[in-house]
Amino acid sequence: MNEITIETMKCFLCIVMITAIVLVYLGLRRKPRRQELKELADGIAAEKQRIDGVVNRFDALLKDLTADHQKRQVLKSRTAGLEEVVAELSRRRSDLEGQVTSMTDINAELKCTNAEHLEKAEQLRKEIQQKELAVRELEDRVRSLSHTREGLEIALGHLDAEELAYLSKPISSLGIYPSVRERLSKEGILYIGDLIPLSEEYLQEIWGVGPVTLEKIRTKMKENGVWFGMEIIRVNDQWYRRKEENPKRLVDGRE
């Protein structure tokens, strides 16, 4: 009986030891598995985060694509509008080129016409100048003939006139500067009588005849009873005045 109990106890202890060994073994095996599970869970979490990041990047890329698509649509719309504007500008350019061509033709015609008008105007101007010259020559001729007739009448005693001896004096008797006298001589003015038909404006156009010289000439003429523009008759180098001329007339021609 005791032997049975001892054997039983031995068996029981063996079973307990085997169970303990199994439990220890299982415990030792469960620990790495938990660690693996934990590492697997950590890996899955990290992968999830990476996938979430990829998803987020994909969403951002999708939004960018959507925005680019919208921009592309806007650009297409604007491009279409610009193409219409370019087409309109091309049409207007064609119209303008046609107008420019027409204006060029008109300008060429106008230039041709203008050249003809200028040529005609130049011809008319020359004709007018020739006619004016002819008229002046006729006037000078008539004046010369009138003076010749009056001189003949004075010489024959048919015209009552008095000689103005002062007008037969040379211009040097006026007391003007030699340079002025030489300038007047070059203009054909040798005697005081040659000054009478002239105007003061004409004398001022001659170099050297300034206001001082002109006043000196005017004073000398006034002292001798003559003035610019008075009616006189020239016979050779002598000057006469009709006796009906009012001897009290002032130098400036006023009563």
Side-chain angles (χ1 to χ4, degrees), residues 41-57:
D42 293 339
I44 292 172
E47 187 68 19
K48 181 178 181 299
Q49 291 178 354
R50 189 180 67 79
I51 292 172
D52 290 339
V54 173
V55 170
N56 292 332
R57 288 197 297 272

Side-chain angles (χ1 to χ4, degrees), residues 35-219:
Q35 187 175 358
E36 289 178 0
L37 290 175
K38 183 179 179 181
E39 291 176 357
L40 181 61
D42 293 339
I44 292 172
E47 187 68 19
K48 181 178 181 299
Q49 291 178 354
R50 189 180 67 79
I51 292 172
D52 290 339
V54 173
V55 170
N56 292 332
R57 288 197 297 272
F58 181 77
D59 290 339
L61 181 61
L62 184 61
K63 290 180 180 179
D64 293 339
L65 290 174
T66 303
D68 291 341
H69 180 71
Q70 293 176 351
K71 290 180 181 179
R72 192 176 295 108
Q73 293 297 326
V74 172
L75 289 175
K76 285 183 178 179
S77 177
R78 291 183 179 179
T79 302
L82 288 174
E83 289 176 352
E84 293 178 359
V85 172
V86 169
E88 180 64 23
L89 289 175
S90 298
R91 287 194 295 271
R92 292 186 179 181
R93 179 182 177 183
S94 299
D95 295 339
L96 287 175
E97 287 177 351
Q99 293 177 3
V100 167
T101 303
S102 177
M103 292 294 291
T104 302
D105 296 338
I106 294 172
N107 188 29
E109 293 177 0
L110 288 176
K111 283 183 178 180
C112 226
T113 306
N114 190 29
E116 294 176 357
H117 288 165
L118 289 175
E119 185 177 355
K120 291 180 180 179
E122 183 65 20
Q123 292 177 355
L124 288 174
R125 187 179 65 82
K126 290 181 179 179
E127 291 177 1
I128 291 172
Q129 288 178 347
Q130 292 175 355
K131 290 180 179 179
E132 288 178 348
L133 180 62
V135 169
R136 283 197 297 269
E137 290 177 352
L138 287 174
E139 289 177 350
D140 294 340
R141 182 63 178 168
V142 170
R143 191 179 299 108
S144 176
L145 291 174
S146 177
H147 290 167
T148 302
R149 180 181 62 79
E150 291 176 346
L152 290 174
E153 290 180 354
I154 292 173
L156 295 173
H158 296 162
L159 183 62
D160 193 9
E162 60 177 340
E163 182 180 358
L164 299 175
Y166 176 72
L167 299 181
S168 299
K169 292 183 178 182
I171 58 176
S172 59
S173 62
L174 293 172
I176 58 180
Y177 296 110
S179 59
V180 178
R181 184 173 65 250
E182 291 177 2
R183 183 64 180 173
L184 292 174
S185 298
K186 290 180 180 179
E187 297 292 332
I189 303 171
L190 303 176
Y191 301 97
I192 298 175
D194 294 328
L195 293 169
I196 300 300
L198 304 178
S199 65
E200 296 182 9
E201 291 77 11
Y202 175 77
L203 289 176
Q204 287 178 341
E205 292 176 359
I206 298 176
W207 181 85
V209 182
V212 176
T213 302
L214 188 60
E215 181 61 27
K216 185 181 291 187
I217 295 173
R218 192 188 298 113
T219 301

